[in-house]
Amino acid sequence: MRYYLVAGEASGDLHGANLMKALKVQDPDAEFRFYGGDKMKAEGGVLKKHYAEMAFMGFTEVLLNLRTILKNMKACKADVLEYNPDALILIDFPGFNLKIAEFAKENGIRVCYYISPKVWAWNQKRVLKIKRIVDKLFCILPFEVDFYKDWGMDVDYVGNPLLDAIAQFNPDSSFKNTYGLNDKIIALLPGSRKQEIERLLPDMLSVTSRFPDYQFVVAAAPTFDESYYRQFISSENVTLVFERTYDLLNVATAAIVASGTATLETALFHVPQVVVYRGGTISVAIARMLVKIRFISLVNLIMDRKVVTELIQQDCNTQNIANELDLVVAGEGRQKMLTDYKELSSKMGTAGASERTAKLITSYLKGNHH
C-alpha cells in the first residue's frame, strides 16, 4: 500500500516515524511519501517538505506567515492528489491537516487521522466537520472516545505515545552521582518555549528558600544554553540538567510543572506535582471565553476531577506554590495523589500506540480495498 503522511512539528515527526516503523511490520511493501522531519526520513520514503519550514506558533506568527502557509497547503494538496495514496495519514497539526483532510475527502482519498485534534477544548462544533471529512480517527486520550461518541462518531483509543516513550526509557543508575544529587529532589519543568520559561521559571524558583532540605533541579531544554537559565537562578540548591527529564522524574520526590504534556509524563512517573500556568493577559482572556473545559492539565482532564492543583495567572505565586508543594512533598496530600496516579495509569492502558494504530489502519484498508 501507499501511504501519504503529514506531520507539521517535532512531536509529529516522532510519532510519524514510529507509525511508519509499525506500518512496515504490518505491510512489508509499504511505500511512503510525507511532510515531516528527519526521524520520518530515516524510516525511508520521500520527504517532500521539512516541518522546520511549516511550524508557526501563535496567532501573530501565523498571520505574518500566512502566504507561506497557504503556499505549503496548496503544494501539499497537489502532491497528495498526484501520489494518490491508499491512505492519507494526518498527524495532529489540525490547523493545516483538517484542510488537507477536506481536500482529500473531496477527491475520494481515504483519510486516517492519528492524534485527534483537541476539539473538545473549544469550538466543539468542529466535530461535525471532522465526522464528514475523516474516515478513521485514532485518539491518544481515553476521554476523547466518549466525547466523540456524544457527537455520534465512532473513534479508536490506541493508547498514548508517551507510554511508549516511557516504556523505552532506560534509567541511568549514575544520574544522581553525575549531578551530585541527594534523595530529596524537587524537579522544575518550566517547558521548552522561551515565553513559558520566562513567565514560569522565576515563580518556580521563588520557593527554593522555603525548602532548604531539598535540591531543586531544572529540566532544561536543548534550545537554550546554560547561561540563559542561570540568569533566573540566584539560589545555591539549584541544579540544571539538559535533555534528562525522564532521568530527573525517575528520582524526584515532587515537581512543579508547566501545564502541558509534561504534567502527564510527571504523573506516569508517579511524581506528585503542582501545575502552574501563565499566559499573555489577552490570550488568557480570550481563552477563558472560548475554552469549554474545567481543567488545563491533562492529568485532571483524563481523570475528570481535580487530582493535581492548577495555579493559573495570578494564583501562580510564591505563597500558593509553596503551600501546594508542602502538601505533596509529604503527608496525606502526597498519598492521595499517588493513589490517584495508579488509577490514571490504568485508564491510560499500556504502551504500543503505534502498533495498534498501524494494525487498525491496515485492516481498515484491507477491508476496504478494491
Side-chain angles (χ1 to χ4, degrees), residues 172-181 239-241 244:
D172 170 4
S173 54
S174 61
F175 178 73
K176 280 189 191 172
N177 280 346
T178 309
Y179 291 97
L181 302 174
T239 307
L240 277 177
V241 301
R244 301 295 294 272

Side-chain angles (χ1 to χ4, degrees), residues 15-81:
H15 302 322
N18 288 334
L19 182 59
M20 286 163 72
K21 198 177 288 169
L23 280 166
K24 287 188 286 194
V25 175
Q26 298 300 318
D27 176 5
D29 302 321
E31 287 176 28
F32 301 107
R33 192 172 174 101
F34 46 90
Y35 273 37
D38 303 340
K39 291 189 167 75
M40 289 168 77
K41 194 176 170 184
E43 291 301 323
V46 180
L47 172 67
K48 279 298 289 184
K49 188 174 276 292
H50 198 287
Y51 70 79
E53 303 174 53
M54 294 172 62
F56 300 107
M57 290 298 307
F59 196 63
T60 34
E61 207 186 337
V62 166
L63 282 179
L64 292 172
N65 291 285
L66 206 52
R67 280 177 67 172
T68 312
I69 294 169
L70 294 172
K71 211 171 85 185
N72 286 342
M73 213 172 269
K74 198 174 164 187
C76 186
K77 287 175 181 175
D79 200 49
V80 167
L81 201 55

Side-chain angles (χ1 to χ4, degrees), residues 179 218-227 229 240-245:
Y179 291 97
V218 180
T223 6
F224 304 99
D225 60 8
E226 182 152 348
S227 61
Y229 284 98
L240 277 177
V241 301
F242 283 86
E243 290 194 272
R244 301 295 294 272
T245 305

Side-chain angles (χ1 to χ4, degrees), residues 40-334:
M40 289 168 77
K41 194 176 170 184
E43 291 301 323
V46 180
L47 172 67
K48 279 298 289 184
K49 188 174 276 292
H50 198 287
Y51 70 79
E53 303 174 53
M54 294 172 62
F56 300 107
M57 290 298 307
F59 196 63
T60 34
E61 207 186 337
V62 166
L63 282 179
L64 292 172
N65 291 285
L66 206 52
R67 280 177 67 172
T68 312
I69 294 169
L70 294 172
K71 211 171 85 185
N72 286 342
M73 213 172 269
K74 198 174 164 187
C76 186
K77 287 175 181 175
D79 200 49
V80 167
L81 201 55
E82 189 191 335
Y83 188 63
N84 192 25
D86 293 290
L88 169 68
I89 302 172
L90 304 165
I91 301 165
D92 207 353
F93 206 52
F96 188 92
N97 274 340
L98 286 173
K99 298 212 169 38
I100 302 298
E102 191 165 24
F103 173 82
K105 188 69 179 166
E106 282 163 8
N107 287 282
I109 294 167
R110 284 188 291 257
V111 179
C112 297
Y113 208 117
Y114 178 41
I115 305 181
S116 150
K118 294 178 183 54
V119 280
W120 37 267
W122 58 285
N123 192 359
Q124 297 189 350
K125 284 203 181 67
R126 281 193 302 174
V127 177
L128 299 172
K129 181 178 181 178
I130 291 173
K131 197 172 157 182
R132 201 177 72 241
I133 62 179
V134 172
D135 297 302
K136 282 280 172 202
L137 184 62
F138 305 105
C139 298
I140 62 166
L141 296 168
F143 63 83
E144 293 177 329
V145 178
D146 292 333
F147 168 76
Y148 281 105
K149 194 174 269 159
D150 288 345
W151 286 87
M153 189 175 174
D154 228 3
V155 303
D156 292 286
Y157 173 62
V158 290
N160 195 296
L162 283 183
L163 297 165
D164 300 25
I166 292 170
Q168 287 155 17
F169 162 68
N170 279 322
D172 170 4
S173 54
S174 61
F175 178 73
K176 280 189 191 172
N177 280 346
T178 309
Y179 291 97
L181 302 174
N182 59 27
D183 289 335
K184 296 184 126 186
I185 296 166
I186 291 169
L188 304 181
L189 281 66
S192 57
R193 296 200 196 113
K194 195 169 194 269
Q195 269 185 324
E196 256 183 328
I197 295 167
E198 287 169 9
R199 285 194 185 123
L200 294 172
L201 191 55
D203 285 323
M204 292 180 170
L205 290 165
S206 70
V207 301
T208 50
S209 59
R210 307 204 184 188
F211 297 86
D213 303 344
Y214 285 86
Q215 282 167 301
F216 287 77
V217 184
V218 180
T223 6
F224 304 99
D225 60 8
E226 182 152 348
S227 61
Y228 172 75
Y229 284 98
R230 285 279 161 216
Q231 64 178 328
F232 303 105
I233 299 171
S234 54
S235 157
E236 286 300 300
N237 59 341
V238 180
T239 307
L240 277 177
V241 301
F242 283 86
E243 290 194 272
R244 301 295 294 272
T245 305
Y246 282 8
D247 275 307
L248 171 57
L249 288 174
N250 193 44
V251 297
T253 311
I256 309 172
V257 186
S259 172
T261 316
T263 60
L264 185 51
E265 289 174 303
T266 304
L268 292 169
F269 271 93
H270 296 269
V271 179
Q273 64 183 310
V274 181
V275 176
V276 292
Y277 178 78
R278 274 182 186 278
T281 323
I282 295 169
S283 315
V284 171
I286 293 172
R288 284 193 203 271
M289 294 191 306
L290 296 175
V291 171
K292 297 271 196 300
I293 46 181
R294 292 192 295 156
F295 302 113
I296 58 163
S297 69
L298 282 170
V299 177
N300 291 346
L301 283 165
I302 291 165
M303 295 290 280
D304 198 25
R305 59 185 166 87
K306 184 188 157 185
V307 169
V308 297
T309 298
E310 302 173 347
L311 299 174
I312 305 172
Q313 296 302 83
Q314 61 274 25
D315 291 337
C316 173
N317 59 51
T318 308
Q319 191 59 48
N320 287 349
I321 297 172
N323 291 348
E324 293 300 332
L325 193 55
D326 233 357
L327 297 173
V328 299
V329 163
E332 265 174 47
R334 180 179 182 82

